[in-house]
């Protein structure tokens, strides 16, 4: 009788450290949206890249299955990450169009500079999703996720645009 009670106790409580890992990685990934936007701005490279997005989501599904994570859950989280990055990119494009003096002066290379960073975050985020699995269904998941996200956003000095992106990045993390 003690074993089921212990198991229920573990799934009933959210692990704030697991959620902090998720929000830290989400904010790190979102901060890279500035480099992605700088790399694409003024070129023919579109913000929306369905082929690249499909490649990422397929990779996430395959890797998550190997880690014991529900592939649909992992894809949902990463779809939110992608959409959040597009929110920031669109906002930066609008800002740069309205204020040309704020346009980036350097164009990072997506293939050699930005994507390897995103790939490292993907690996770490998948690991973090695996570790937070029991926390996902806790009633405290949402409030703890929000608190962790706000701490990370403050630490990174996120502006309103990046806060909007962060709000878009996290809705799939906790089960509703």
């Amino acid at each position: 009788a003690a074993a089921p009670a212990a198991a229920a106790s573990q799934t009933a409580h959210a692990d704030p450290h697991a959620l902090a890992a998720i929000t830290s990685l989400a904010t790190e990934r979102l901060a890279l949206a500035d480099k992605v936007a700088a790399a694409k701005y003024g070129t023919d490279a579109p913000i929306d890249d369905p082929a690249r997005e499909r490649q990422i989501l397929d990779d996430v599904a395959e890797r998550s299955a190997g880690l014991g994570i529900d592939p649909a859950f992992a894809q949902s989280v990463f779809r939110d990450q992608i959409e959040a990055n597009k929110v920031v990119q669109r906002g930066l494009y609008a800002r740069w169009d309205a204020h040309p003096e704020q346009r980036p002066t350097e164009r990072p290379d997506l293939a050699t500079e930005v994507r390897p960073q995103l790939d490292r975050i993907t690996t770490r985020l998948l690991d973090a999703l695996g570790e937070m699995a029991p926390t996902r269904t806790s009633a405290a998941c949402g409030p703890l996720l929000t608190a962790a996200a706000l701490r990370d956003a403050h630490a990174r000095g996120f502006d309103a645009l990046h806060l909007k992106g962060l709000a878009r990045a996290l809705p799939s993390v906790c089960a509703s």
Side-chain angles (χ1 to χ4, degrees):
S9 170
Q10 288 178 338
T11 59
H13 299 289
D15 178 358
H17 299 292
L19 293 171
I22 300 289
T23 61
S24 175
L25 292 164
T27 56
E28 184 179 348
R29 192 177 195 287
L30 197 58
L32 285 174
D34 295 46
K35 286 187 177 186
V36 174
K40 293 179 178 182
Y41 187 77
T43 72
D44 291 337
I47 290 175
D48 290 279
D49 187 349
R52 174 75 178 149
E53 293 167 24
R54 175 54 35 213
Q55 180 184 30
I56 292 166
L57 294 174
D58 288 347
D59 177 60
V60 162
E62 182 179 326
R63 291 170 62 188
S64 62
L67 294 169
I69 302 166
D70 175 18
F73 165 58
Q75 283 185 316
S76 180
V77 169
F78 277 87
R79 191 172 297 110
D80 287 346
Q81 299 297 308
I82 291 167
E83 292 303 318
N85 269 265
K86 291 193 281 188
V87 165
V88 171
Q89 289 177 55
R90 286 187 185 102
L92 289 172
Y93 275 31
R95 183 181 299 165
W96 296 337
D97 286 346
H99 302 281
E101 72 280 3
Q102 294 180 11
R103 290 178 182 162
T105 56
E106 295 182 16
R107 188 178 312 280
D109 186 274
L110 280 177
T112 62
E113 183 180 343
V114 182
R115 286 188 180 144
Q117 292 178 61
L118 290 169
D119 291 343
R120 281 190 292 277
I121 293 168
T122 295
T123 297
R124 292 169 46 213
L125 187 52
L126 281 169
D127 289 341
L129 290 175
E131 291 174 16
M132 66 85 54
T135 298
R136 185 165 192 261
T137 56
S138 167
C141 185
L144 288 171
L145 183 73
T146 299
L150 290 173
R151 277 191 305 274
D152 287 331
H154 177 73
R156 285 197 177 269
F158 274 8
D159 60 8
L161 173 61
H162 290 78
L163 286 172
K164 181 179 177 184
L166 186 56
R168 180 62 187 94
L170 299 172
S172 295
V173 173
C174 297
S176 18

